[in-house]
């Protein structure tokens, strides 16, 4: 999150919001917002929102997709995650990323698995 400049900006009733700059850190070679950076913002938002709703359980991503709708060269994009399904074992979130004019840049959906405990870190 830190290396991409992602900052949580708002937690509301049924949504979580964050911003990300469109600059050299998030550009692809043509100077546009990199689709992978949009997906990183979407996954950060969806997973974080899912964790907040998991009642002390852990969440991990099962699948994420993204439709890139508009090119952005500079400024700030804002992502908003809203739940579609909040089940005992899975969650589905929609993340809408918009430019500074509130025009859609990317629509993403993430499916999360809800686990009774965090996965092992692999550390001894």
């Amino acid at each position: 999150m830190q290396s991409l400049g992602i900052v949580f900006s708002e937690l509301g009733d049924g949504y979580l919001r964050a911003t990300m700059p469109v600059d050299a850190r998030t550009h692809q070679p043509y100077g546009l917002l990199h689709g992978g950076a949009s997906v990183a913002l979407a996954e950060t938002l969806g997973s974080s929102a899912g964790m907040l709703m998991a009642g002390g359980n852990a969440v991990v991503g099962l699948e994420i997709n993204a439709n890139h709708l508009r090119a952005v060269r500079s400024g700030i994009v804002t992502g908003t995650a809203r739940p579609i399904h909040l089940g005992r074992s899975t969650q589905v979130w929609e993340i809408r990323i918009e430019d500074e004019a509130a025009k859609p840049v990317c629509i993403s959906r993430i499916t999360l698995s809800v686990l009774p405990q965090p996965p092992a870190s692999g550390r001894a």
Side-chain angles (χ1 to χ4, degrees), residues 25-69:
R25 296 172 289 180
T26 56
H27 279 160
Q28 44 93 304
Y30 296 116
L32 303 172
L33 175 62
H34 195 293
S38 294
V39 173
L41 175 59
E43 185 151 5
T44 297
L45 274 165
S47 295
S48 297
M51 183 181 61
L52 291 171
M53 297 301 294
N57 293 322
V59 296
V60 294
L62 293 175
E63 189 269 343
I64 189 166
N65 68 48
N67 295 102
H68 305 290
L69 307 173

Side-chain angles (χ1 to χ4, degrees), residues 17-115:
R17 189 166 287 146
T19 60
M20 181 177 69
V22 181
D23 59 21
R25 296 172 289 180
T26 56
H27 279 160
Q28 44 93 304
Y30 296 116
L32 303 172
L33 175 62
H34 195 293
S38 294
V39 173
L41 175 59
E43 185 151 5
T44 297
L45 274 165
S47 295
S48 297
M51 183 181 61
L52 291 171
M53 297 301 294
N57 293 322
V59 296
V60 294
L62 293 175
E63 189 269 343
I64 189 166
N65 68 48
N67 295 102
H68 305 290
L69 307 173
R70 177 174 277 106
V72 180
R73 291 189 178 277
S74 62
I76 301 283
V77 291
T78 301
T80 304
R82 297 184 190 279
I84 294 172
H85 166 74
L86 297 173
R88 284 184 298 120
S89 61
T90 60
Q91 297 180 3
V92 179
W93 292 82
E94 179 184 77
I95 301 91
R96 180 182 175 97
I97 300 172
E98 298 176 335
D99 65 14
E100 292 175 301
K103 293 182 180 177
V105 171
C106 177
I107 302 294
S108 182
R109 188 179 63 237
I110 187 169
T111 303
L112 304 171
S113 179
V114 180
L115 305 174

Side-chain angles (χ1 to χ4, degrees), residues 3-14:
S3 61
L4 295 179
I6 296 171
V7 175
F8 290 106
S9 58
E10 190 175 349
L11 173 62
D13 187 24

